[in-house]
Amino acid sequence: MKTIAFKPLISVEIIYSFDNKEQEMWSFDYFLEDVLMSEDKLVRDLITRPYTDDLEILDDLFKVSMCLSCEVEEFVKLPCFKDVLSKNGKYYFDPKQRDQVEDKIIEGTTIASKTKPFLMVAH
């Protein structure tokens, strides 16, 4: 088994989509302290990073789309990043579209606490 021995600096770009606000986009660098971090903990850390002073802004979040890159190519071999890449960096917080990962991301927080289910309107 190969061991990955580095603490990568990840370039992050995230587009936040809300129920009642305009989309927002943030770009920042993220120093990965724990290479064994689970996908849900990594994504929660990334999406809350720009809003640490006001997490209530995320209470009507319905989707995030993120792009992650790193100069160290091996970062894609880390399990948490494999998981993010397998979802194409998209996480849906609509109550009817969430999966177990999104449920874990929002657990114990106000993230998406006011997000309403998307309603299809017949024409």
Side-chain angles (χ1 to χ4, degrees):
M1 181 171 148
K2 275 189 166 179
T3 303
I4 301 173
F6 64 94
K7 290 186 178 179
L9 180 66
I10 310 296
S11 294
V12 180
E13 292 185 4
I14 302 178
I15 298 172
Y16 297 80
S17 299
F18 301 96
D19 269 347
N20 298 307
K21 300 183 258 307
E22 293 291 318
Q23 281 187 331
E24 293 186 14
M25 182 175 172
W26 287 86
S27 299
F28 55 92
D29 290 330
Y30 178 80
F31 186 70
L32 184 65
E33 292 284 339
D34 179 5
V35 295
L36 299 177
M37 186 181 293
S38 65
E39 175 188 12
D40 59 287
K41 287 181 181 172
L42 172 68
V43 173
R44 182 189 302 181
D45 200 26
L46 291 175
I47 66 174
T48 59
R49 179 66 49 108
Y51 301 104
T52 55
D53 293 334
D54 188 14
L55 288 178
E56 286 184 20
I57 220 160
L58 299 173
D59 64 4
D60 70 335
L61 180 70
F62 75 83
K63 178 184 169 190
V64 294
S65 301
M66 63 178 70
C67 177
L68 310 174
S69 61
C70 182
E71 288 184 11
V72 180
E73 290 181 23
E74 287 80 12
F75 96 99
V76 297
K77 296 178 183 177
L78 297 170
C80 59
F81 287 103
K82 279 185 180 180
D83 294 338
V84 170
L85 295 172
S86 74
K87 293 183 79 144
N88 293 319
K90 297 191 184 329
Y91 293 85
Y92 298 90
F93 298 97
D94 177 315
K96 292 185 178 183
Q97 293 181 323
R98 293 180 193 150
D99 65 16
Q100 291 177 336
V101 174
E102 283 95 345
D103 285 338
K104 283 184 178 180
I105 291 168
I106 66 173
E107 188 177 277
T109 73
T110 60
I111 298 170
S113 61
K114 296 180 181 176
T115 302
K116 296 175 181 67
F118 179 74
L119 299 174
M120 296 288 287
V121 178
H123 292 290

